[in-house]
Amino acid sequence: MAFLLSLYILLLCTSLNAAAAAATTCFVPSKTGDITLHHINSNCYRFSSGITPFDNILQLSTTVDPFRLSLLASSVPIASGFHILNSAIYLLRANFGSPAQPLLLGLDPSADASFLTLSNFSSSSSFQALPCSFTLCPLFKPLPCSSPSSLCFYNQSYGGDSSFSAVLAQDSLVLAADTIPTFAFGAVTYFDAGPSFPKQGILGLGRGPASVVSQTASVYHSIFSYCLPGYNSYYFSGSLRLGPLHQPPRIRTTPLLLNPHRPSLYYVNLTSVSVGRVRVAVPPASFAFDPQSGAGTVVDAGTVITRFVAPAYAAIRDEFRKQVNASAGYESLGAFDTCYSTAGDGVTAAPPTVTLHLDGLDIALPAENAMIHSSARPLACLALAVAPTNVNAVVNVIASYQQQNHRVMIDIPGSRVGFARENCS
Ligand SMILES: *[C@@H]1O[C@H](CO)[C@@H](O)[C@H](O)[C@H]1NC(C)=O
Ligand SMILES: *[C@@H]1O[C@H](CO)[C@@H](O)[C@H](O)[C@H]1NC(C)=O
Ligand SMILES: *[C@@H]1O[C@H](CO)[C@@H](O)[C@H](O)[C@H]1NC(C)=O
Ligand SMILES: *[C@@H]1O[C@H](CO)[C@@H](O)[C@H](O)[C@H]1NC(C)=O
Protein backbone atom coordinates (compact mmCIF):
# COMPACT_ATOMS: atom_id res chain seq x y z
CA MET A 1 0.00 0.00 0.00
CA ALA A 2 2.76 2.39 1.03
CA PHE A 3 4.59 1.36 -2.12
CA LEU A 4 1.56 2.06 -4.28
CA LEU A 5 1.01 5.38 -2.56
CA SER A 6 4.62 6.44 -3.08
CA LEU A 7 4.46 5.25 -6.67
CA TYR A 8 1.33 7.33 -7.08
CA ILE A 9 3.04 10.37 -5.55
CA LEU A 10 6.05 9.77 -7.73
CA LEU A 11 3.88 9.62 -10.85
CA LEU A 12 1.94 12.67 -9.75
CA CYS A 13 5.15 14.61 -9.12
CA THR A 14 6.57 13.49 -12.45
CA SER A 15 3.53 14.70 -14.33
CA LEU A 16 3.47 17.94 -12.34
CA ASN A 17 7.14 18.40 -13.06
CA ALA A 18 6.51 17.77 -16.72
CA ALA A 19 3.71 20.32 -16.72
CA ALA A 20 5.86 22.84 -14.83
CA ALA A 21 8.77 22.21 -17.16
CA ALA A 22 6.48 22.66 -20.14
CA ALA A 23 5.12 25.89 -18.70
CA THR A 24 8.62 27.30 -18.26
CA THR A 25 10.11 25.84 -21.44
CA CYS A 26 7.34 26.51 -23.91
CA PHE A 27 6.80 29.67 -25.94
CA VAL A 28 9.46 31.54 -23.98
CA PRO A 29 10.97 34.37 -26.03
CA SER A 30 14.74 34.21 -26.44
CA LYS A 31 17.09 36.82 -24.98
CA THR A 32 17.74 38.25 -28.44
CA GLY A 33 14.02 38.80 -28.98
CA ASP A 34 13.44 35.76 -31.17
CA ILE A 35 9.91 34.40 -31.12
CA THR A 36 9.79 30.75 -30.12
CA LEU A 37 8.19 28.33 -32.56
CA HIS A 38 6.91 24.91 -31.55
CA HIS A 39 5.78 22.10 -33.80
CA ILE A 40 2.04 21.37 -33.42
CA ASN A 41 2.86 17.88 -32.13
CA SER A 42 5.42 19.04 -29.61
CA ASN A 43 5.01 18.45 -25.91
CA CYS A 44 4.13 22.13 -25.66
CA TYR A 45 0.88 21.75 -27.54
CA ARG A 46 -0.65 18.34 -28.12
CA PHE A 47 0.60 16.95 -24.85
CA SER A 48 -1.21 13.66 -25.12
CA SER A 49 -0.78 12.92 -28.82
CA GLY A 50 1.65 10.09 -27.96
CA ILE A 51 2.46 9.71 -31.65
CA THR A 52 6.05 9.02 -32.67
CA PRO A 53 7.77 11.61 -34.89
CA PHE A 54 7.97 8.99 -37.62
CA ASP A 55 4.24 8.22 -37.58
CA ASN A 56 3.54 11.92 -37.37
CA ILE A 57 5.55 12.67 -40.48
CA LEU A 58 4.08 9.68 -42.28
CA GLN A 59 0.62 10.98 -41.47
CA LEU A 60 1.29 14.63 -42.37
CA SER A 61 3.10 13.75 -45.57
CA THR A 62 0.25 11.61 -46.83
CA THR A 63 -2.64 13.85 -45.71
CA VAL A 64 -1.56 17.48 -45.42
CA ASP A 65 1.13 17.62 -48.10
CA PRO A 66 -0.87 16.55 -51.18
CA PHE A 67 -3.63 19.02 -50.33
CA ARG A 68 -1.13 21.82 -49.78
CA LEU A 69 0.78 21.01 -52.95
CA SER A 70 -2.38 21.09 -54.99
CA LEU A 71 -2.91 24.66 -53.74
CA LEU A 72 0.74 25.68 -54.18
CA ALA A 73 0.66 24.34 -57.72
CA SER A 74 -2.85 25.52 -58.56
CA SER A 75 -3.02 26.72 -62.13
CA VAL A 76 -5.35 29.53 -61.07
CA PRO A 77 -3.22 32.67 -60.75
CA ILE A 78 -3.29 33.68 -57.12
CA ALA A 79 -3.28 37.43 -57.29
CA SER A 80 -5.38 37.86 -54.21
CA GLY A 81 -3.87 38.44 -50.83
CA PHE A 82 -6.35 36.17 -49.16
CA HIS A 83 -4.59 33.01 -49.91
CA ILE A 84 -4.88 30.40 -47.23
CA LEU A 85 -2.78 27.35 -47.85
CA ASN A 86 -4.45 25.27 -45.23
CA SER A 87 -1.80 23.97 -42.97
CA ALA A 88 0.09 25.28 -40.03
CA ILE A 89 2.76 23.02 -38.65
CA TYR A 90 4.47 25.54 -36.36
CA LEU A 91 2.95 27.65 -33.62
CA LEU A 92 3.98 30.85 -31.90
CA ARG A 93 2.53 32.96 -29.13
CA ALA A 94 1.42 36.53 -29.81
CA ASN A 95 -0.52 39.06 -27.77
CA PHE A 96 -3.61 40.53 -29.22
CA GLY A 97 -6.00 43.42 -28.45
CA SER A 98 -6.48 45.75 -25.48
CA PRO A 99 -6.08 44.57 -22.82
CA ALA A 100 -3.64 42.14 -24.43
CA GLN A 101 -4.65 38.48 -24.57
CA PRO A 102 -2.21 35.71 -25.46
CA LEU A 103 -3.02 33.64 -28.55
CA LEU A 104 -1.28 30.57 -29.96
CA LEU A 105 -1.14 31.12 -33.70
CA GLY A 106 -0.19 28.82 -36.53
CA LEU A 107 2.49 30.14 -38.85
CA ASP A 108 1.96 29.82 -42.56
CA PRO A 109 5.08 31.01 -44.38
CA SER A 110 3.47 30.91 -47.82
CA ALA A 111 0.08 32.46 -47.08
CA ASP A 112 -0.70 36.14 -47.03
CA ALA A 113 -3.82 36.32 -44.93
CA SER A 114 -3.98 36.14 -41.18
CA PHE A 115 -7.08 35.25 -39.26
CA LEU A 116 -7.70 35.25 -35.56
CA THR A 117 -10.40 33.79 -33.36
CA LEU A 118 -11.52 35.29 -30.06
CA SER A 119 -14.63 34.38 -28.13
CA ASN A 120 -15.58 38.05 -27.95
CA PHE A 121 -13.83 40.67 -30.07
CA SER A 122 -15.85 43.46 -28.37
CA SER A 123 -13.87 42.83 -25.20
CA SER A 124 -10.86 44.45 -26.94
CA SER A 125 -11.23 48.23 -26.81
CA SER A 126 -8.93 48.73 -29.81
CA PHE A 127 -10.79 46.28 -32.10
CA GLN A 128 -12.29 47.79 -35.23
CA ALA A 129 -14.21 46.00 -37.99
CA LEU A 130 -13.33 47.42 -41.41
CA PRO A 131 -15.58 48.49 -44.28
CA CYS A 132 -15.57 47.38 -47.91
CA SER A 133 -13.80 50.63 -48.84
CA PHE A 134 -10.68 49.56 -46.90
CA THR A 135 -7.75 48.91 -49.30
CA LEU A 136 -7.19 45.30 -48.24
CA CYS A 137 -10.89 44.34 -48.52
CA PRO A 138 -10.85 43.35 -52.20
CA LEU A 139 -7.76 41.20 -51.60
CA PHE A 140 -9.70 39.19 -49.06
CA LYS A 141 -12.21 37.93 -51.65
CA PRO A 142 -15.17 39.38 -49.77
CA LEU A 143 -18.78 38.37 -49.96
CA PRO A 144 -20.69 40.91 -52.09
CA CYS A 145 -20.64 44.38 -50.52
CA SER A 146 -23.91 46.32 -50.50
CA SER A 147 -22.11 49.67 -50.15
CA PRO A 148 -18.53 50.94 -49.60
CA SER A 149 -19.35 51.58 -45.94
CA SER A 150 -20.78 48.14 -45.22
CA LEU A 151 -18.47 45.73 -43.42
CA CYS A 152 -16.13 43.50 -45.39
CA PHE A 153 -17.20 39.87 -44.76
CA TYR A 154 -15.97 36.64 -46.18
CA ASN A 155 -16.52 32.89 -45.98
CA GLN A 156 -13.59 30.54 -46.41
CA SER A 157 -12.91 26.85 -46.37
CA TYR A 158 -9.84 25.56 -44.60
CA GLY A 159 -7.75 22.40 -44.84
CA GLY A 160 -10.42 20.40 -46.63
CA ASP A 161 -12.24 19.74 -43.35
CA SER A 162 -13.20 23.17 -41.98
CA SER A 163 -14.90 26.40 -42.95
CA PHE A 164 -15.30 29.75 -41.30
CA SER A 165 -16.87 33.18 -41.60
CA ALA A 166 -14.93 36.31 -40.77
CA VAL A 167 -15.04 40.07 -40.94
CA LEU A 168 -12.04 42.13 -41.99
CA ALA A 169 -10.79 43.98 -38.92
CA GLN A 170 -7.83 45.62 -37.30
CA ASP A 171 -6.45 45.60 -33.79
CA SER A 172 -3.11 45.69 -32.08
CA LEU A 173 -0.86 42.66 -32.34
CA VAL A 174 2.26 42.23 -30.24
CA LEU A 175 5.00 40.10 -31.76
CA ALA A 176 8.12 39.67 -29.64
CA ALA A 177 8.57 43.12 -28.06
CA ASP A 178 6.97 45.06 -30.92
CA THR A 179 3.42 46.34 -31.13
CA ILE A 180 1.72 46.60 -34.51
CA PRO A 181 -1.12 48.96 -33.58
CA THR A 182 -3.40 48.51 -36.61
CA PHE A 183 -2.81 45.00 -37.82
CA ALA A 184 -5.43 43.95 -40.41
CA PHE A 185 -6.73 40.38 -40.32
CA GLY A 186 -9.87 38.32 -40.68
CA ALA A 187 -11.73 38.21 -37.35
CA VAL A 188 -13.39 34.80 -37.24
CA THR A 189 -17.01 35.10 -36.20
CA TYR A 190 -18.08 31.53 -36.83
CA PHE A 191 -16.28 28.29 -37.61
CA ASP A 192 -17.09 24.73 -38.39
CA ALA A 193 -13.74 23.27 -37.44
CA GLY A 194 -12.21 19.94 -38.34
CA PRO A 195 -8.96 18.64 -36.84
CA SER A 196 -6.77 20.76 -39.14
CA PHE A 197 -8.25 24.07 -38.00
CA PRO A 198 -5.92 26.10 -35.75
CA LYS A 199 -8.47 27.25 -33.19
CA GLN A 200 -6.84 30.58 -32.27
CA GLY A 201 -5.74 31.61 -35.73
CA ILE A 202 -3.05 31.77 -38.39
CA LEU A 203 -0.37 34.32 -39.22
CA GLY A 204 0.53 34.54 -42.90
CA LEU A 205 4.20 35.27 -43.64
CA GLY A 206 3.89 35.28 -47.44
CA ARG A 207 5.00 38.24 -49.51
CA GLY A 208 1.65 39.65 -50.68
CA PRO A 209 0.28 43.01 -49.47
CA ALA A 210 -1.91 41.63 -46.65
CA SER A 211 0.75 39.45 -45.02
CA VAL A 212 2.42 40.09 -41.67
CA VAL A 213 5.66 40.72 -43.58
CA SER A 214 4.07 43.47 -45.71
CA GLN A 215 2.08 45.00 -42.86
CA THR A 216 5.23 45.28 -40.71
CA ALA A 217 7.55 46.41 -43.51
CA SER A 218 8.24 49.78 -41.85
CA VAL A 219 9.41 48.02 -38.66
CA TYR A 220 11.04 44.81 -39.92
CA HIS A 221 12.00 45.90 -43.46
CA SER A 222 10.60 42.66 -44.95
CA ILE A 223 13.46 40.59 -43.60
CA PHE A 224 12.95 37.56 -41.39
CA SER A 225 14.47 34.21 -40.64
CA TYR A 226 13.34 31.07 -38.95
CA CYS A 227 14.95 27.95 -37.58
CA LEU A 228 12.73 24.87 -37.54
CA PRO A 229 13.26 22.36 -34.75
CA GLY A 230 14.48 18.83 -35.34
CA TYR A 231 11.69 16.27 -35.61
CA ASN A 232 13.24 14.26 -32.82
CA SER A 233 13.42 17.05 -30.27
CA TYR A 234 11.16 16.82 -27.22
CA TYR A 235 9.78 20.36 -27.16
CA PHE A 236 10.13 20.82 -30.91
CA SER A 237 11.21 24.41 -30.36
CA GLY A 238 12.72 26.71 -32.94
CA SER A 239 12.64 30.43 -33.56
CA LEU A 240 11.32 33.20 -35.76
CA ARG A 241 13.45 36.36 -35.99
CA LEU A 242 11.79 39.41 -37.48
CA GLY A 243 13.77 42.31 -38.93
CA PRO A 244 17.39 42.82 -40.02
CA LEU A 245 18.84 42.88 -36.47
CA HIS A 246 20.73 39.75 -35.36
CA GLN A 247 20.41 38.04 -38.73
CA PRO A 248 23.49 35.95 -39.53
CA PRO A 249 25.79 38.42 -41.36
CA ARG A 250 27.71 35.92 -43.45
CA ILE A 251 24.94 33.46 -44.31
CA ARG A 252 25.28 31.97 -47.80
CA THR A 253 22.43 33.00 -50.07
CA THR A 254 20.69 32.30 -53.35
CA PRO A 255 18.57 34.82 -55.31
CA LEU A 256 14.93 35.13 -54.25
CA LEU A 257 12.72 35.08 -57.34
CA LEU A 258 9.31 36.69 -57.70
CA ASN A 259 6.87 34.72 -59.81
CA PRO A 260 4.02 37.01 -60.91
CA HIS A 261 1.82 33.95 -61.31
CA ARG A 262 2.08 33.24 -57.56
CA PRO A 263 3.40 36.43 -55.96
CA SER A 264 2.89 35.21 -52.37
CA LEU A 265 5.44 32.43 -52.63
CA TYR A 266 9.21 32.44 -52.09
CA TYR A 267 10.74 31.06 -55.28
CA VAL A 268 14.39 30.05 -55.61
CA ASN A 269 16.39 28.79 -58.55
CA LEU A 270 17.07 25.07 -58.06
CA THR A 271 19.41 24.10 -60.89
CA SER A 272 20.31 20.47 -60.14
CA VAL A 273 20.52 17.75 -57.48
CA SER A 274 23.46 15.49 -56.66
CA VAL A 275 23.35 12.08 -55.05
CA GLY A 276 26.78 11.29 -53.64
CA ARG A 277 29.18 12.58 -56.30
CA VAL A 278 26.77 12.08 -59.15
CA ARG A 279 24.95 15.10 -60.53
CA VAL A 280 21.62 13.59 -61.49
CA ALA A 281 20.52 14.12 -65.08
CA VAL A 282 17.09 15.73 -64.82
CA PRO A 283 15.00 16.91 -67.79
CA PRO A 284 15.71 20.68 -67.99
CA ALA A 285 12.02 21.59 -67.79
CA SER A 286 11.69 19.96 -64.35
CA PHE A 287 13.45 22.75 -62.49
CA ALA A 288 12.84 25.64 -64.91
CA PHE A 289 11.44 28.87 -63.49
CA ASP A 290 8.50 30.02 -65.57
CA PRO A 291 6.69 33.30 -64.73
CA GLN A 292 3.91 32.39 -67.18
CA SER A 293 2.96 29.03 -65.71
CA GLY A 294 4.20 29.50 -62.15
CA ALA A 295 6.59 26.56 -62.51
CA GLY A 296 9.79 26.49 -60.48
CA THR A 297 10.88 25.75 -56.92
CA VAL A 298 9.48 27.27 -53.74
CA VAL A 299 10.76 27.26 -50.17
CA ASP A 300 7.80 26.38 -47.96
CA ALA A 301 7.86 25.41 -44.31
CA GLY A 302 4.16 24.52 -44.40
CA THR A 303 4.82 21.43 -46.51
CA VAL A 304 6.43 18.56 -44.61
CA ILE A 305 8.47 16.62 -47.18
CA THR A 306 10.44 18.07 -50.11
CA ARG A 307 8.79 17.17 -53.40
CA PHE A 308 10.12 17.11 -56.92
CA VAL A 309 8.11 16.93 -60.10
CA ALA A 310 7.82 13.36 -61.37
CA PRO A 311 10.68 13.14 -63.92
CA ALA A 312 13.14 14.82 -61.53
CA TYR A 313 12.07 12.70 -58.58
CA ALA A 314 12.38 9.48 -60.57
CA ALA A 315 15.92 10.35 -61.67
CA ILE A 316 17.05 11.29 -58.15
CA ARG A 317 15.46 8.22 -56.58
CA ASP A 318 16.92 5.85 -59.16
CA GLU A 319 20.42 7.20 -58.59
CA PHE A 320 19.98 6.93 -54.82
CA ARG A 321 18.77 3.34 -55.08
CA LYS A 322 21.63 2.46 -57.37
CA GLN A 323 24.18 3.78 -54.91
CA VAL A 324 22.59 2.27 -51.79
CA ASN A 325 22.15 -1.05 -53.61
CA ALA A 326 20.02 -2.52 -50.81
CA SER A 327 20.29 -6.29 -50.91
CA ALA A 328 16.67 -6.90 -49.94
CA GLY A 329 15.28 -4.27 -52.33
CA TYR A 330 13.01 -1.31 -51.63
CA GLU A 331 9.50 -0.90 -50.32
CA SER A 332 7.02 1.97 -50.07
CA LEU A 333 5.64 3.47 -46.90
CA GLY A 334 3.17 6.35 -47.04
CA ALA A 335 4.58 9.08 -49.28
CA PHE A 336 8.01 7.37 -49.41
CA ASP A 337 8.88 4.83 -52.09
CA THR A 338 12.52 4.17 -51.24
CA CYS A 339 12.56 2.41 -47.89
CA TYR A 340 15.05 -0.36 -47.16
CA SER A 341 15.95 -2.66 -44.34
CA THR A 342 18.89 -1.64 -42.19
CA ALA A 343 18.86 -4.97 -40.30
CA GLY A 344 21.48 -7.70 -40.32
CA ASP A 345 23.56 -7.93 -43.47
CA GLY A 346 21.49 -5.23 -45.08
CA VAL A 347 22.91 -1.83 -45.79
CA THR A 348 25.20 -0.60 -43.06
CA ALA A 349 27.19 2.05 -44.92
CA ALA A 350 26.03 5.66 -44.65
CA PRO A 351 23.62 6.55 -47.44
CA PRO A 352 24.95 8.92 -50.13
CA THR A 353 24.54 12.62 -49.43
CA VAL A 354 21.79 14.42 -51.33
CA THR A 355 22.82 17.94 -52.33
CA LEU A 356 20.46 20.60 -53.64
CA HIS A 357 22.26 22.96 -56.02
CA LEU A 358 20.66 26.38 -55.96
CA ASP A 359 21.96 29.32 -57.96
CA GLY A 360 25.09 30.29 -55.98
CA LEU A 361 24.38 27.99 -53.02
CA ASP A 362 24.71 24.25 -52.42
CA ILE A 363 22.71 22.63 -49.64
CA ALA A 364 24.23 19.25 -48.73
CA LEU A 365 21.51 17.60 -46.68
CA PRO A 366 22.76 15.98 -43.47
CA ALA A 367 21.34 12.52 -42.76
CA GLU A 368 18.67 13.91 -40.41
CA ASN A 369 17.28 15.97 -43.31
CA ALA A 370 17.59 13.33 -46.01
CA MET A 371 16.59 10.11 -44.28
CA ILE A 372 13.76 9.06 -42.02
CA HIS A 373 13.86 5.96 -39.82
CA SER A 374 10.87 3.88 -38.84
CA SER A 375 10.15 3.80 -35.14
CA ALA A 376 8.72 0.29 -35.47
CA ARG A 377 11.45 -1.66 -37.28
CA PRO A 378 14.92 -1.29 -38.80
CA LEU A 379 13.83 0.53 -41.90
CA ALA A 380 15.26 3.69 -43.45
CA CYS A 381 13.46 5.75 -46.09
CA LEU A 382 14.74 8.44 -48.41
CA ALA A 383 12.78 11.43 -47.04
CA LEU A 384 11.89 12.92 -50.42
CA ALA A 385 8.78 12.36 -52.50
CA VAL A 386 7.18 12.99 -55.83
CA ALA A 387 4.94 16.04 -56.33
CA PRO A 388 1.31 15.10 -56.96
CA THR A 389 0.78 14.51 -60.65
CA ASN A 390 -2.89 15.50 -60.62
CA VAL A 391 -2.11 19.22 -60.71
CA ASN A 392 -1.50 21.30 -63.81
CA ALA A 393 1.59 23.23 -62.92
CA VAL A 394 5.04 21.98 -62.08
CA VAL A 395 6.23 23.13 -58.68
CA ASN A 396 9.06 21.69 -56.64
CA VAL A 397 8.95 22.40 -52.92
CA ILE A 398 11.84 22.57 -50.46
CA ALA A 399 9.91 21.65 -47.32
CA SER A 400 10.22 21.67 -43.54
CA TYR A 401 11.81 18.24 -42.98
CA GLN A 402 14.73 19.32 -45.16
CA GLN A 403 14.89 22.69 -43.38
CA GLN A 404 14.93 21.39 -39.80
CA ASN A 405 17.98 22.58 -37.85
CA HIS A 406 18.79 25.14 -40.52
CA ARG A 407 18.30 28.88 -40.35
CA VAL A 408 16.41 30.06 -43.41
CA MET A 409 16.54 33.79 -44.01
CA ILE A 410 14.19 35.62 -46.36
CA ASP A 411 15.39 39.07 -47.40
CA ILE A 412 12.84 40.59 -49.76
CA PRO A 413 14.51 43.98 -50.42
CA GLY A 414 17.85 42.21 -50.91
CA SER A 415 16.13 39.58 -53.13
CA ARG A 416 17.90 36.70 -51.45
CA VAL A 417 17.27 33.58 -49.42
CA GLY A 418 19.92 32.36 -46.98
CA PHE A 419 20.48 28.85 -45.62
CA ALA A 420 22.81 27.86 -42.81
CA ARG A 421 23.03 24.89 -40.46
CA GLU A 422 22.00 25.75 -36.91
CA ASN A 423 20.92 23.65 -33.98
CA CYS A 424 17.47 25.11 -33.37
CA SER A 425 16.01 22.84 -30.73
C1 LIG B 1 -18.30 41.04 -25.00
O1 LIG B 1 -17.50 42.02 -24.37
C2 LIG B 1 -18.21 43.25 -24.12
C3 LIG B 1 -17.19 44.25 -23.58
O2 LIG B 1 -16.39 43.68 -22.57
C4 LIG B 1 -19.35 42.96 -23.14
O3 LIG B 1 -20.10 44.17 -22.92
C5 LIG B 1 -20.27 41.91 -23.76
O4 LIG B 1 -21.29 41.56 -22.82
C6 LIG B 1 -19.50 40.66 -24.13
N1 LIG B 1 -20.36 39.75 -24.87
C7 LIG B 1 -20.42 38.46 -24.59
C8 LIG B 1 -21.37 37.66 -25.42
O5 LIG B 1 -19.77 37.95 -23.70
C1 LIG C 1 -21.34 32.39 -45.04
O1 LIG C 1 -21.26 31.48 -43.93
C2 LIG C 1 -22.33 31.60 -43.00
C3 LIG C 1 -22.02 30.67 -41.84
O2 LIG C 1 -21.81 29.36 -42.28
C4 LIG C 1 -23.64 31.24 -43.69
O3 LIG C 1 -24.71 31.39 -42.79
C5 LIG C 1 -23.85 32.17 -44.89
O4 LIG C 1 -24.99 31.78 -45.59
C6 LIG C 1 -22.63 32.14 -45.83
N1 LIG C 1 -22.80 33.14 -46.86
C7 LIG C 1 -22.56 32.91 -48.16
C8 LIG C 1 -22.85 34.02 -49.09
O5 LIG C 1 -22.10 31.84 -48.54
C1 LIG D 1 24.95 -4.59 -55.51
O1 LIG D 1 24.82 -5.70 -54.65
C2 LIG D 1 24.97 -6.94 -55.31
C3 LIG D 1 24.74 -8.05 -54.29
O2 LIG D 1 23.57 -7.83 -53.59
C4 LIG D 1 26.35 -7.06 -55.94
O3 LIG D 1 26.46 -8.24 -56.66
C5 LIG D 1 26.59 -5.87 -56.86
O4 LIG D 1 27.92 -5.87 -57.34
C6 LIG D 1 26.33 -4.55 -56.11
N1 LIG D 1 26.43 -3.43 -57.04
C7 LIG D 1 27.15 -2.35 -56.76
C8 LIG D 1 27.14 -1.29 -57.82
O5 LIG D 1 27.77 -2.20 -55.73
C1 LIG E 1 19.02 29.95 -62.61
O1 LIG E 1 20.42 29.69 -62.47
C2 LIG E 1 21.03 29.36 -63.71
C3 LIG E 1 22.47 28.96 -63.41
O2 LIG E 1 23.12 29.93 -62.66
C4 LIG E 1 20.94 30.55 -64.66
O3 LIG E 1 21.49 30.22 -65.90
C5 LIG E 1 19.46 30.93 -64.84
O4 LIG E 1 19.36 32.09 -65.63
C6 LIG E 1 18.82 31.16 -63.49
N1 LIG E 1 17.39 31.40 -63.68
C7 LIG E 1 16.74 32.42 -63.11
C8 LIG E 1 15.31 32.53 -63.39
O5 LIG E 1 17.31 33.22 -62.39
Side-chain angles (χ1 to χ4, degrees):
M1 185 63 204
F3 170 74
L4 282 181
L5 186 64
S6 55
L7 185 66
Y8 174 74
I9 290 172
L10 181 72
L11 289 174
L12 189 68
C13 290
T14 310
S15 62
L16 286 177
N17 284 343
T24 53
T25 316
C26 297
F27 297 105
V28 177
S30 82
K31 290 191 186 75
T32 53
D34 286 359
I35 297 168
T36 299
L37 298 177
H38 291 283
H39 191 280
I40 47 166
N41 287 315
S42 82
N43 284 294
C44 292
Y45 190 60
R46 292 184 182 163
F47 292 93
S48 59
S49 77
I51 183 167
T52 68
F54 178 75
D55 289 338
N56 179 215
I57 291 162
L58 215 53
Q59 192 183 45
L60 291 172
S61 61
T62 49
T63 56
V64 174
D65 275 4
F67 192 80
R68 187 171 178 91
L69 264 95
S70 67
L71 292 169
L72 286 174
S74 159
S75 61
V76 179
I78 303 165
S80 89
F82 199 63
H83 168 201
I84 289 185
L85 286 172
N86 309 293
S87 55
I89 312 177
Y90 297 94
L91 296 164
L92 56 82
R93 182 153 61 195
N95 280 312
F96 172 81
S98 318
Q101 309 184 36
L103 291 179
L104 288 188
L105 302 174
L107 183 71
D108 193 327
S110 295
D112 287 343
S114 299
F115 64 86
L116 305 174
T117 310
L118 273 193
S119 54
N120 182 3
F121 283 104
S122 330
S123 62
S124 169
S125 61
S126 45
F127 177 85
Q128 200 187 351
L130 297 169
C132 291
S133 58
F134 192 79
T135 46
L136 294 181
C137 179
L139 299 180
F140 280 56
K141 276 191 203 142
L143 296 175
C145 288
S146 53
S147 79
S149 60
S150 59
L151 293 180
C152 178
F153 285 106
Y154 51 94
N155 281 3
Q156 280 282 338
S157 59
Y158 186 89
D161 64 4
S162 313
S163 62
F164 64 91
S165 303
V167 59
L168 184 61
Q170 65 187 20
D171 202 338
S172 81
L173 181 72
V174 181
L175 288 173
D178 303 303
T179 302
I180 305 142
T182 53
F183 180 69
F185 60 95
V188 176
T189 52
Y190 167 85
F191 61 77
D192 182 4
S196 74
F197 194 72
K199 306 282 182 299
Q200 300 189 333
I202 282 268
L203 281 186
L205 275 191
R207 61 192 296 191
S211 78
V212 175
V213 177
S214 299
Q215 291 197 51
T216 60
S218 63
V219 189
Y220 299 130
H221 307 284
S222 303
I223 297 175
F224 66 95
S225 71
Y226 56 81
C227 193
L228 303 179
Y231 270 85
N232 284 318
S233 69
Y234 188 74
Y235 288 115
F236 257 143
S237 73
S239 67
L240 172 67
R241 187 175 299 162
L242 298 166
L245 274 184
H246 307 298
Q247 297 298 354
R250 282 182 297 276
I251 193 168
R252 291 176 310 138
T253 64
T254 185
L256 168 66
L257 306 178
L258 174 65
N259 195 316
H261 201 73
R262 298 194 189 88
S264 309
L265 305 183
Y266 297 102
Y267 277 82
V268 288
N269 184 3
L270 176 67
T271 54
S272 62
V273 172
S274 291
V275 175
R277 292 181 181 178
V278 177
R279 215 171 259 247
V280 178
V282 162
S286 296
F287 293 152
F289 177 79
D290 185 345
Q292 260 68 52
S293 69
T297 302
V298 302
V299 175
D300 176 39
T303 308
V304 181
I305 294 294
T306 291
R307 307 265 177 166
F308 298 108
V309 298
Y313 178 71
I316 294 162
R317 176 203 55 203
D318 291 350
E319 181 59 37
F320 183 89
R321 287 186 182 178
K322 190 172 126 197
Q323 290 186 30
V324 170
N325 194 22
S327 53
Y330 301 92
E331 58 184 283
S332 294
L333 197 56
F336 308 113
D337 69 359
T338 299
C339 300
Y340 54 93
S341 170
T342 52
D345 293 341
V347 181
T348 47
T353 300
V354 176
T355 304
L356 309 180
H357 302 284
L358 305 176
D359 191 2
L361 168 69
D362 289 344
I363 306 173
L365 296 175
E368 75 160 336
N369 300 89
M371 303 300 299
I372 182 164
H373 296 270
S374 167
S375 44
R377 56 200 172 105
L379 190 78
C381 301
L382 174 64
L384 301 171
V386 66
T389 48
N390 60 344
V391 294
N392 303 337
V394 284
V395 176
N396 304 283
V397 181
I398 300 175
S400 68
Y401 194 82
Q402 279 64 41
Q403 296 175 40
Q404 59 174 317
N405 284 323
H406 284 78
R407 180 154 297 276
V408 177
M409 182 184 77
I410 306 281
D411 175 355
I412 297 174
S415 280
R416 59 196 190 127
V417 178
F419 280 86
R421 287 223 75 193
E422 183 177 320
N423 187 358
C424 317
S425 308

